[in-house]
Amino acid sequence: MVICLFKYLNAVICWLKFLSFKCGVMIKRFNKAVCFLKRLPSTFGSSCLYVSACNCSTEHNHGVEQNEWEKLLKPFDLGELRQSLNWITPQRLSKLLQLPLDVSISMEIFNWAGSQGGYSHTFDVYYTLIDRLGRAGEFKAIHKLLGQMKEEGIPFRESLFILIMKCYGKARLPGHVIRILKEMKDLYNCQPTFRSYNVVLEVLVSENCHKIAPKILAEMIFKGISPTVYTYSIVMKALCAVKEVHAAVILRRNMAEYGCEPNSVVYQTLIHALCKDGRPNEGRKLFEEMLSKGCLPDTETFNDVIHGHCDDGEVQEAMKLLDRMPRHGCTPNMVTYGVLMEGLCRKSQVEEARQLLDEVQQPSVVLFNTLINGYLVHGRFDDARSILYERMIPSGINPDVFTYNIMIHSLCRNGSLGTARELLDEMLEKNCTPNVFTYTLLLDGFCKENRLEEARHILTEMSEKGFKLNVVGYNCIINALCKDHKLDEAKEMLDKMIGEGCLPDIVTFNSLIHGLCFHDRLSDAVKLFHDLLLEGVIANNVTFNTLVLAFLRKGALEEATLYVKEMECRGCTDIITYNGLIKAYCSDGRVEKGLDVLGNLKRNHITPTNVTYNILVNGLCRIGKLQSAFELLKKMQCEGLTPDIVTYNSIINGLCKMGRISEALSLLDTLQSQGIEPDTISYNTLISWHCKAGMSDDALLLLYKGINSGMTPNVITWNIVVNCFVKNRAVFYQDNHENYVDLV
């Protein structure tokens, strides 16, 4: 018996020598290994080999270089091992395959063991080897082993396919996971359960294949496999990720059909999605249902509901939730206080936000920034400054770049550029490094005030600090230069911008195109428009409208129409475009063309406005087509638009022009009964036509009537009246002089 054990000991030593030679396994302490081998006869069994494997693995992980063991074991190879008296059982082979060997060595041992007479691989052996291959990404070898298992008649178990699916998931190959799920039943006669489907869903969601997840659930139900609560939670997460929140809510209602009750994870997922999707009311109802079902929310769930209340302006309801949090085992965090403080500041309850900050034991710089910003938004710079210097800094919390940025932004917005500049200097003194946004705020402030020289100083300072202008900064300068009529400098700035690798956007080009059109450099504007397209920037409504209106001002109706057609092709027309075109046609006396444009609006899904109809009504009245104007007025009312005083002023002028002054006066009285107050233009129009008709007394009566009705005469009113009476006096003098001559 002792001799047999000794022979077996020699065989194991041979195995260890072989493994050390093949995979570079190195054992740090030779004495420990020898002691272990000496104990081998007394502790013989599969556990002995497992402990040895663990020791080998430890040494391998430490990356020990070649030592005495490797030198001792070098002479042995696989051929010599085959000649030994060793016998490998499937259990021992499974333990050997767990060693950190190269995949090729593991396969060699696997194949050699299978060649032993009377030996057959078991499921556990295949499972262990496939696990090794999967972690190494050797999926072709895995499929060969699956085929070999099928040939050997080894029954397949679901656990093996779940293992393979997880390996594919780690390799980020979700498509292969779905294929394995299908092959389980079709190719290997292994019926998947909810466990397999859950793994597939996990992989799909982790790889952002969210839209496939509901289809997998539908297939699962169709095949008669009951989903679990976890299954539903994964699919709901997938639906919420693609903003199909309504479908996720319906799925929750259907859970009861399969005996599933929503748990905390399900509720938390849906509440977060509903609040984020702008449906806080539904989120709050679900939250109350969650509590009534005994599901415990976490702090993040409370934060979602609080955020929803604050977004709806229900800050007091949000504050009540803060009091409820401890009763449900949740502790408010910085996000909780931050959301509440921001909500209070939006409701102009800045002092309440300050009191809430006092409740926080260790407030963060973010909370202080929220309060400071709340004061600044409401124009209370002194209070914001007080929080910074009397509360924040004495508490040991240093302001960060965001603190200074919001203060600089507020100062620049209010025109206090000197104080904003001083804050930048203070930042540098306190070793708080400004960022590009800091300089951009100052740059924008100086440019808007047309203080270009100081803006250039900011640019120089930026350059010295190693900052490069971003597209926003360039846009500020280019826009300021265009407003200052320095178009050539603005174009040079554009070239510099492109040269430095900062790509201009549509705002850049719109500023330049507007400046060029304003200064009647239309050909340059058109060239820049084509450059815009070459740069890959997409023109928008502002770009086209600037060009269209510039052509219309020049009377170039045909060119303007071409740009309008291009706008229609790009789908970026708006009512401003068409109003400009209609006005140009009416000014040119081509009102019919303007009416055609009105007909095109509906085809382009654009709704006409009061301005649109007012332009056309005025155009028809000017050419004497009063009947058409009245018909257009009815059409306007049928489309839900209410004619205003501008509309009626055009009709009053048209009636007077046709000599129908009495009707115009009647219309004026009708307006007042309808609650539409005539304005100065209404009275000026009627007074002027009465004067032209020689009805100066009636003109005076109209003037008094207007003043009594609250109308304030302007310069035009007095010019009309004075000219009327000067003319009448001259006529009166001429008539009396002629009568005197006749008498003589």
Side-chain angles (χ1 to χ4, degrees):
M1 181 69 179
V2 175
I3 296 171
C4 291
L5 287 174
F6 184 75
K7 287 182 177 179
Y8 197 88
L9 175 61
N10 285 336
V12 173
I13 291 173
C14 290
W15 259 105
L16 288 173
K17 291 176 180 179
F18 161 73
L19 294 175
S20 180
F21 169 67
K22 286 292 184 180
C23 66
V25 176
M26 292 162 282
I27 304 174
K28 196 172 186 180
R29 296 182 180 177
F30 175 80
N31 293 333
K32 282 189 177 181
V34 172
C35 290
F36 165 73
L37 291 171
K38 284 180 180 178
R39 292 198 309 270
L40 187 60
S42 60
T43 58
F44 189 76
S46 59
S47 61
C48 175
L49 186 54
Y50 179 72
V51 174
S52 177
C54 291
N55 287 336
C56 290
S57 176
T58 304
E59 299 302 334
H60 176 76
N61 289 337
H62 282 90
V64 182
E65 295 183 359
Q66 186 182 37
N67 56 20
E68 298 90 337
W69 270 97
E70 189 173 359
K71 293 175 182 177
L72 286 168
L73 300 179
K74 265 188 177 181
F76 297 90
D77 57 14
L78 189 60
E80 188 169 335
L81 183 61
R82 286 194 182 112
Q83 296 173 8
S84 70
L85 300 174
N86 184 48
W87 174 264
I88 298 297
T89 64
Q91 186 180 14
R92 292 169 188 158
L93 179 57
S94 295
K95 299 297 182 184
L96 281 171
L97 292 175
Q98 291 175 12
L99 294 172
L101 307 173
D102 290 340
V103 172
S104 59
I105 299 297
S106 297
M107 287 297 297
E108 194 173 356
I109 294 171
F110 172 81
N111 292 329
W112 174 79
S115 67
Q116 296 178 117
Y119 174 91
S120 295
H121 290 307
T122 63
F123 176 85
D124 291 337
V125 171
Y126 277 106
Y127 185 94
T128 305
L129 183 57
I130 286 172
D131 184 24
R132 290 294 314 282
L133 292 170
R135 282 186 274 128
E138 297 287 344
F139 296 111
K140 289 184 179 179
I142 287 175
H143 282 278
K144 286 182 182 178
L145 288 177
L146 290 175
Q148 189 173 326
M149 286 180 71
K150 190 175 181 181
E151 289 175 4
E152 293 176 5
I154 297 174
F156 290 95
R157 300 178 199 169
E158 185 183 25
S159 59
L160 179 64
F161 293 102
I162 288 176
L163 171 68
I164 297 170
M165 288 175 187
K166 288 181 176 179
C167 290
Y168 271 123
K170 289 177 182 176
R172 310 194 71 176
L173 299 168
H176 290 280
V177 177
I178 297 172
R179 180 175 57 79
I180 287 292
L181 180 67
K182 180 177 174 54
E183 289 178 352
M184 280 179 68
K185 178 65 178 171
D186 298 346
L187 196 59
Y188 302 109
N189 197 30
C190 180
Q191 182 65 46
T193 67
F194 67 88
R195 295 180 181 86
S196 297
Y197 279 95
N198 285 351
V199 172
V200 172
L201 289 169
E202 284 174 356
V203 173
L204 290 173
V205 172
S206 66
E207 293 302 314
N208 298 321
C209 302
H210 301 113
K211 293 187 177 180
I212 305 174
K215 297 177 183 177
I216 296 295
L217 175 63
E219 177 189 315
M220 182 180 180
I221 294 171
F222 178 76
K223 290 186 176 180
I225 302 169
S226 297
T228 63
V229 177
Y230 183 65
T231 315
Y232 278 109
S233 68
I234 300 172
V235 179
M236 286 177 194
K237 182 180 178 182
L239 288 168
C240 293
V242 291
K243 301 189 183 302
E244 294 183 18
V245 185
H246 184 67
V249 172
I250 293 172
L251 200 61
R252 182 194 65 83
R253 294 172 189 159
N254 297 338
M255 288 178 68
E257 295 180 19
Y258 297 93
C260 296
E261 284 293 326
N263 58 12
S264 295
V265 175
V266 171
Y267 280 114
Q268 288 165 9
T269 301
L270 289 175
I271 290 167
H272 177 74
L274 286 166
C275 293
K276 193 176 179 180
D277 197 43
R279 297 158 65 181
N281 288 332
E282 294 176 60
R284 289 193 288 270
K285 289 177 183 177
L286 208 59
F287 177 73
E288 295 301 333
E289 180 187 313
M290 176 185 186
L291 296 178
S292 66
K293 293 281 184 72
C295 295
L296 294 176
D298 59 5
T299 301
E300 296 306 316
T301 311
F302 269 103
N303 288 347
D304 287 330
V305 181
I306 288 170
H307 201 288
H309 275 300
C310 291
D311 282 346
D312 283 351
E314 301 172 351
V315 186
Q316 296 309 315
E317 293 298 320
M319 292 294 289
K320 291 176 184 177
L321 281 173
L322 179 66
D323 297 331
R324 291 172 64 184
M325 288 181 74
R327 296 202 296 269
H328 295 282
C330 295
T331 304
N333 57 19
M334 291 299 170
V335 175
T336 317
Y337 288 110
V339 170
L340 284 168
M341 287 175 62
E342 188 177 353
L344 287 166
C345 290
R346 281 205 302 265
K347 296 286 287 184
S348 303
Q349 296 176 275
V350 190
E351 293 306 322
E352 287 83 349
R354 185 171 187 167
Q355 291 172 10
L356 189 62
L357 181 65
D358 293 336
E359 296 179 15
V360 184
Q361 292 183 353
Q362 294 180 333
S364 65
V365 65
V366 176
L367 295 184
F368 276 108
N369 288 344
T370 303
L371 183 59
I372 289 170
N373 190 57
Y375 279 120
L376 292 172
V377 167
H378 293 90
R380 299 170 62 179
F381 182 80
D382 290 338
D383 290 319
R385 195 178 184 90
S386 172
I387 291 292
L388 174 62
Y389 294 108
E390 297 176 15
R391 174 78 193 280
M392 184 175 175
I393 295 175
S395 299
I397 300 172
N398 292 321
D400 60 8
V401 66
F402 183 77
T403 317
Y404 284 107
N405 282 351
I406 56 177
M407 294 187 75
I408 288 171
H409 181 248
S410 175
L411 289 166
C412 290
R413 191 173 53 204
N414 294 322
S416 303
L417 296 173
T419 310
R421 189 69 177 82
E422 289 172 5
L423 271 183
L424 176 63
D425 297 334
E426 182 181 314
M427 285 181 74
L428 298 171
E429 289 174 8
K430 291 184 178 293
N431 294 321
C432 180
T433 307
N435 56 20
V436 174
F437 188 59
T438 316
Y439 286 107
T440 305
L441 287 170
L442 285 165
L443 198 62
D444 182 51
F446 283 117
C447 287
K448 282 180 178 176
E449 293 291 323
N450 202 31
R451 294 163 64 173
L452 293 178
E453 195 59 38
E454 288 159 292
R456 288 190 176 94
H457 289 313
I458 296 293
L459 276 176
T460 304
E461 190 171 329
M462 279 185 74
S463 179
E464 290 173 353
K465 296 289 182 183
F467 291 112
K468 286 188 176 181
L469 267 179
N470 56 18
V471 65
V472 177
Y474 274 111
N475 287 346
C476 292
I477 298 170
I478 289 171
N479 187 50
L481 289 169
C482 289
K483 286 182 177 179
D484 200 37
H485 315 299
K486 297 177 179 178
L487 295 174
D488 292 330
E489 284 187 48
K491 289 184 73 176
E492 288 174 8
M493 188 61 71
L494 174 65
D495 295 335
K496 180 183 177 183
M497 179 181 184
I498 296 170
E500 290 185 356
C502 181
L503 297 177
D505 60 10
I506 191 60
V507 177
T508 321
F509 285 104
N510 282 348
S511 296
L512 280 163
I513 289 171
H514 182 271
L516 291 167
C517 289
F518 182 80
H519 289 88
D520 202 25
R521 293 171 58 177
L522 201 49
S523 58
D524 290 335
V526 170
K527 183 180 180 302
L528 193 62
F529 172 76
H530 293 300
D531 291 343
L532 173 157
L533 300 176
L534 292 173
E535 289 289 336
V537 180
I538 299 172
N540 60 13
N541 293 27
V542 176
T543 322
F544 279 107
N545 283 336
T546 303
L547 289 168
V548 168
L549 295 176
F551 277 114
L552 291 175
R553 281 196 300 271
K554 288 193 70 174
L557 264 169
E558 299 304 322
E559 289 85 347
T561 306
L562 290 174
Y563 278 99
V564 172
K565 287 180 180 177
E566 187 172 347
M567 288 179 76
E568 290 173 344
C569 292
R570 293 173 181 266
C572 65
T573 48
D574 58 21
I575 193 62
I576 297 172
T577 316
Y578 290 110
N579 284 349
L581 194 59
I582 290 169
K583 186 176 181 181
Y585 279 126
C586 290
S587 298
D588 199 40
R590 299 155 67 183
V591 185
E592 293 301 325
K593 291 286 288 182
L595 290 169
D596 290 340
V597 174
L598 177 66
N600 289 334
L601 290 181
K602 288 187 178 180
R603 287 194 292 272
N604 290 294
H605 308 290
I606 295 174
T607 305
T609 63
N610 273 40
V611 175
T612 315
Y613 281 102
N614 287 346
I615 294 168
L616 286 165
V617 167
N618 184 56
L620 289 167
C621 290
R622 284 174 62 189
I623 61 175
K625 292 189 176 183
L626 279 174
Q627 187 59 37
S628 298
F630 279 113
E631 289 173 3
L632 197 61
L633 189 65
K634 289 179 183 177
K635 183 180 178 182
M636 178 182 181
Q637 291 170 322
C638 289
E639 291 188 2
L641 295 172
T642 304
D644 53 21
I645 191 61
V646 177
T647 321
Y648 288 112
N649 282 345
S650 297
I651 293 175
I652 288 170
N653 187 54
L655 287 168
C656 292
K657 190 174 183 179
M658 298 295 292
R660 297 158 64 177
I661 297 177
S662 59
E663 291 180 53
L665 286 169
S666 298
L667 181 59
L668 185 73
D669 295 333
T670 305
L671 290 180
Q672 290 176 322
S673 65
Q674 291 177 354
I676 300 173
E677 288 297 326
D679 59 7
T680 307
I681 295 173
S682 313
Y683 284 102
N684 285 352
T685 303
L686 285 165
I687 291 168
S688 177
W689 282 106
H690 276 81
C691 289
K692 287 178 182 177
M695 303 162 64
S696 55
D697 292 338
D698 292 331
L700 274 178
L701 289 173
L702 270 172
L703 177 61
Y704 295 144
K705 180 181 179 180
I707 292 171
N708 291 332
S709 299
M711 184 271 290
T712 303
N714 57 18
V715 176
I716 296 172
T717 316
W718 298 119
N719 283 340
I720 293 168
V721 173
V722 170
N723 288 335
C724 176
F725 280 95
V726 168
K727 181 180 177 182
N728 286 341
R729 180 166 181 169
V731 170
F732 174 78
Y733 175 80
Q734 185 177 354
D735 289 343
N736 284 324
H737 179 71
E738 288 174 355
N739 291 334
Y740 174 77
V741 170
D742 290 339
L743 288 172
V744 173

